[in-house]
Amino acid sequence: MNHLEQLFDVAVIGGGPAGLSAGVALARALRSVVVIDAGGQRNLRAEGVHGFLTREGMSPQQFLAAGRAELEGYGGTAVTGIVKSAAHECGNFVLALDDGSTCTARRLLITSGSEDELPDLPGLRERWGRDVLYCPYCHGWEIRNQKVGVLAASSHAVLQALTFRQWSHDVTLLLNGEVTLSPGDREQLDARSVKVVEGRVRGLVVQDDKLSAVTLDDGSAVPLEVLVVNPAIVSRANMLQVLGLEPDDLEEGPGTRLHTDDSGLTTCPGVWAAGNVTDVSAQVMTAAAAGLKAAAAINADLVLEDTLLAVEAAGAPAH
Ligand SMILES: Cc1cc2nc3c(=O)[nH]c(=O)nc-3n(C[C@H](O)[C@H](O)[C@H](O)COP(=O)(O)OP(=O)(O)OC[C@H]3O[C@@H](n4cnc5c(N)ncnc54)[C@H](O)[C@@H]3O)c2cc1C
């Protein structure tokens, strides 16, 4: 069981790039901070982190270990565990962890990330982050000029196929019975030499631990090296129900996000959010930046409260 008896200034739920970056900033602000993490960062299946200046290709595990070491180096606390629920009690937040322990903090930062709901095709989940992908900025360079298939889930697939055409001259849009193309779509796809396949995709063919094709319902196969999907990106926010915080549906596609203001403040006073839980397009660097920004806003809020308390303690009327 974790022993977290002290009242922390800030508890952070989630130790990915957003949570660790916030934790380091708060520890450097001489705040007592605990980062509680279940160990399910979104990119863990990827070979390396791309697009984070100075950390190109570092494994996600190394990246996170370095972040935790920085947090602890400044006196922050890193805890492994799952926060099951968060409640408001006597002006503080009380978190219940899966091992039965509790943790109390003056402010809360939610950096619990999001879940990718993948298409339900046999064997697809096992290839996720390897040759089943969604983000061209995370993997586009690595798969450049390979045979790319885009598995349509909605009309957004047309734009996805045109986007991946930037990285490969061999792109096939697999309509999968989900999309009817307009004449305008056809014109654009033809002009960019994107092939179109009509049938429903039934399975993946993997040879020597590499994707080699997808099979269609008529029994034919389309040779591919990479399959691009468009998962629903759903924020991990179940533990916030008692606080009345519910994620909103995304406007731009399937998925959800916690709504915040520009500083990361949610609709619940004292609770901030940063990273994928509130911004599905955040990558490692932007998630970390959002964590830093939220940390500064939380510290500013605590400075005001500390000042108010000091004024009251000094016996002067509070303004
Ligand atoms: C396959 C793949 C590859 C990617 N590659 C790249 C890349 O190369 N470059 C890039 O910039 N981006 C990449 N991304 C995106 C990147 O993963 C995200 O931008 C990043 O992880 C977001 O950070 P975060 O801190 O918001 O969330 P996460 O990194 O997902 O961290 C959230 C953490 O919170 C924990 N958590 C959730 N609920 C609880 C709870 N109740 N209690 C305790 N802990 C909890 C989770 O277990 C997890 O450890 C990739 C994504 C995928 C899917």
Side-chain angles (χ1 to χ4, degrees), residues 58-74:
M58 186 185 236
S59 80
Q61 289 78 2
Q62 272 181 312
F63 183 92
L64 294 165
R68 276 192 294 270
E70 280 182 29
L71 171 71
E72 290 174 337
Y74 284 108

mmCIF file of all heavy atoms in Angstrom, residues 58-74:
data_model
loop_
_atom_site.group_PDB
_atom_site.id
_atom_site.type_symbol
_atom_site.label_atom_id
_atom_site.label_comp_id
_atom_site.label_asym_id
_atom_site.label_seq_id
_atom_site.Cartn_x
_atom_site.Cartn_y
_atom_site.Cartn_z
ATOM 1 N N MET A 58 14.215 8.416 -28.872
ATOM 2 C CA MET A 58 14.373 7.808 -27.540
ATOM 3 C C MET A 58 13.179 6.891 -27.270
ATOM 4 O O MET A 58 12.056 7.203 -27.672
ATOM 5 C CB MET A 58 14.399 8.935 -26.502
ATOM 6 C CG MET A 58 14.700 8.508 -25.100
ATOM 7 S SD MET A 58 14.535 9.948 -23.996
ATOM 8 C CE MET A 58 16.106 9.960 -23.235
ATOM 9 N N SER A 59 13.381 5.757 -26.611
ATOM 10 C CA SER A 59 12.246 4.869 -26.363
ATOM 11 C C SER A 59 11.307 5.544 -25.361
ATOM 12 O O SER A 59 11.756 6.280 -24.474
ATOM 13 C CB SER A 59 12.722 3.524 -25.817
ATOM 14 O OG SER A 59 12.994 3.633 -24.439
ATOM 15 N N PRO A 60 9.998 5.307 -25.492
ATOM 16 C CA PRO A 60 9.052 5.915 -24.541
ATOM 17 C C PRO A 60 9.400 5.552 -23.086
ATOM 18 O O PRO A 60 9.279 6.377 -22.183
ATOM 19 C CB PRO A 60 7.697 5.322 -24.948
ATOM 20 C CG PRO A 60 7.841 4.970 -26.391
ATOM 21 C CD PRO A 60 9.281 4.581 -26.566
ATOM 22 N N GLN A 61 9.869 4.312 -22.883
ATOM 23 C CA GLN A 61 10.202 3.881 -21.512
ATOM 24 C C GLN A 61 11.351 4.720 -20.950
ATOM 25 O O GLN A 61 11.309 5.164 -19.790
ATOM 26 C CB GLN A 61 10.592 2.391 -21.513
ATOM 27 C CG GLN A 61 9.436 1.433 -21.754
ATOM 28 C CD GLN A 61 9.009 1.329 -23.225
ATOM 29 O OE1 GLN A 61 9.600 1.945 -24.111
ATOM 30 N NE2 GLN A 61 7.960 0.570 -23.477
ATOM 31 N N GLN A 62 12.383 4.946 -21.786
ATOM 32 C CA GLN A 62 13.533 5.766 -21.336
ATOM 33 C C GLN A 62 13.088 7.202 -21.069
ATOM 34 O O GLN A 62 13.519 7.828 -20.105
ATOM 35 C CB GLN A 62 14.585 5.814 -22.435
ATOM 36 C CG GLN A 62 15.586 4.700 -22.410
ATOM 37 C CD GLN A 62 16.581 4.912 -23.548
ATOM 38 O OE1 GLN A 62 16.189 5.173 -24.689
ATOM 39 N NE2 GLN A 62 17.850 4.803 -23.237
ATOM 40 N N PHE A 63 12.254 7.707 -21.963
ATOM 41 C CA PHE A 63 11.761 9.078 -21.836
ATOM 42 C C PHE A 63 11.041 9.257 -20.492
ATOM 43 O O PHE A 63 11.295 10.216 -19.749
ATOM 44 C CB PHE A 63 10.802 9.375 -23.010
ATOM 45 C CG PHE A 63 10.275 10.769 -23.039
ATOM 46 C CD1 PHE A 63 10.934 11.761 -23.753
ATOM 47 C CD2 PHE A 63 9.121 11.104 -22.357
ATOM 48 C CE1 PHE A 63 10.441 13.058 -23.787
ATOM 49 C CE2 PHE A 63 8.620 12.395 -22.379
ATOM 50 C CZ PHE A 63 9.286 13.371 -23.091
ATOM 51 N N LEU A 64 10.173 8.291 -20.161
ATOM 52 C CA LEU A 64 9.388 8.399 -18.922
ATOM 53 C C LEU A 64 10.280 8.218 -17.696
ATOM 54 O O LEU A 64 10.105 8.909 -16.684
ATOM 55 C CB LEU A 64 8.262 7.357 -18.932
ATOM 56 C CG LEU A 64 7.208 7.611 -20.014
ATOM 57 C CD1 LEU A 64 6.338 6.386 -20.236
ATOM 58 C CD2 LEU A 64 6.349 8.821 -19.655
ATOM 59 N N ALA A 65 11.235 7.298 -17.794
ATOM 60 C CA ALA A 65 12.146 7.075 -16.656
ATOM 61 C C ALA A 65 12.949 8.353 -16.387
ATOM 62 O O ALA A 65 13.155 8.744 -15.223
ATOM 63 C CB ALA A 65 13.078 5.907 -16.951
ATOM 64 N N ALA A 66 13.384 9.024 -17.456
ATOM 65 C CA ALA A 66 14.140 10.276 -17.281
ATOM 66 C C ALA A 66 13.242 11.340 -16.639
ATOM 67 O O ALA A 66 13.686 12.104 -15.767
ATOM 68 C CB ALA A 66 14.666 10.753 -18.634
ATOM 69 N N GLY A 67 11.975 11.381 -17.050
ATOM 70 C CA GLY A 67 11.036 12.352 -16.471
ATOM 71 C C GLY A 67 10.795 12.093 -14.986
ATOM 72 O O GLY A 67 10.787 13.030 -14.176
ATOM 73 N N ARG A 68 10.634 10.824 -14.636
ATOM 74 C CA ARG A 68 10.407 10.497 -13.215
ATOM 75 C C ARG A 68 11.646 10.829 -12.390
ATOM 76 O O ARG A 68 11.550 11.334 -11.273
ATOM 77 C CB ARG A 68 10.057 9.009 -13.070
ATOM 78 C CG ARG A 68 8.576 8.731 -13.304
ATOM 79 C CD ARG A 68 8.214 7.316 -12.880
ATOM 80 N NE ARG A 68 8.866 6.313 -13.704
ATOM 81 C CZ ARG A 68 8.354 5.810 -14.828
ATOM 82 N NH1 ARG A 68 7.165 6.189 -15.230
ATOM 83 N NH2 ARG A 68 9.005 4.915 -15.520
ATOM 84 N N ALA A 69 12.830 10.576 -12.954
ATOM 85 C CA ALA A 69 14.069 10.890 -12.229
ATOM 86 C C ALA A 69 14.174 12.398 -11.995
ATOM 87 O O ALA A 69 14.581 12.850 -10.913
ATOM 88 C CB ALA A 69 15.276 10.382 -13.011
ATOM 89 N N GLU A 70 13.782 13.191 -12.992
ATOM 90 C CA GLU A 70 13.810 14.660 -12.815
ATOM 91 C C GLU A 70 12.839 15.075 -11.724
ATOM 92 O O GLU A 70 13.140 15.913 -10.874
ATOM 93 C CB GLU A 70 13.455 15.365 -14.126
ATOM 94 C CG GLU A 70 14.630 15.440 -15.078
ATOM 95 C CD GLU A 70 14.321 16.167 -16.369
ATOM 96 O OE1 GLU A 70 13.456 17.073 -16.388
ATOM 97 O OE2 GLU A 70 14.949 15.826 -17.382
ATOM 98 N N LEU A 71 11.642 14.486 -11.749
ATOM 99 C CA LEU A 71 10.631 14.809 -10.725
ATOM 100 C C LEU A 71 11.180 14.507 -9.329
ATOM 101 O O LEU A 71 11.129 15.360 -8.426
ATOM 102 C CB LEU A 71 9.364 13.977 -10.994
ATOM 103 C CG LEU A 71 8.293 14.038 -9.908
ATOM 104 C CD1 LEU A 71 7.627 15.401 -9.898
ATOM 105 C CD2 LEU A 71 7.235 12.944 -10.101
ATOM 106 N N GLU A 72 11.719 13.307 -9.158
ATOM 107 C CA GLU A 72 12.204 12.908 -7.833
ATOM 108 C C GLU A 72 13.448 13.696 -7.447
ATOM 109 O O GLU A 72 13.656 14.000 -6.274
ATOM 110 C CB GLU A 72 12.440 11.391 -7.813
ATOM 111 C CG GLU A 72 11.100 10.654 -7.863
ATOM 112 C CD GLU A 72 11.211 9.140 -7.993
ATOM 113 O OE1 GLU A 72 12.252 8.640 -8.479
ATOM 114 O OE2 GLU A 72 10.235 8.466 -7.622
ATOM 115 N N GLY A 73 14.242 14.067 -8.454
ATOM 116 C CA GLY A 73 15.445 14.866 -8.186
ATOM 117 C C GLY A 73 15.109 16.221 -7.564
ATOM 118 O O GLY A 73 15.913 16.786 -6.823
ATOM 119 N N TYR A 74 13.939 16.735 -7.860
ATOM 120 C CA TYR A 74 13.516 18.016 -7.271
ATOM 121 C C TYR A 74 12.610 17.822 -6.049
ATOM 122 O O TYR A 74 11.973 18.766 -5.584
ATOM 123 C CB TYR A 74 12.794 18.870 -8.316
ATOM 124 C CG TYR A 74 13.754 19.505 -9.311
ATOM 125 C CD1 TYR A 74 13.831 19.070 -10.619
ATOM 126 C CD2 TYR A 74 14.592 20.542 -8.904
ATOM 127 C CE1 TYR A 74 14.713 19.649 -11.521
ATOM 128 C CE2 TYR A 74 15.485 21.121 -9.797
ATOM 129 C CZ TYR A 74 15.536 20.681 -11.098
ATOM 130 O OH TYR A 74 16.416 21.252 -11.973
#
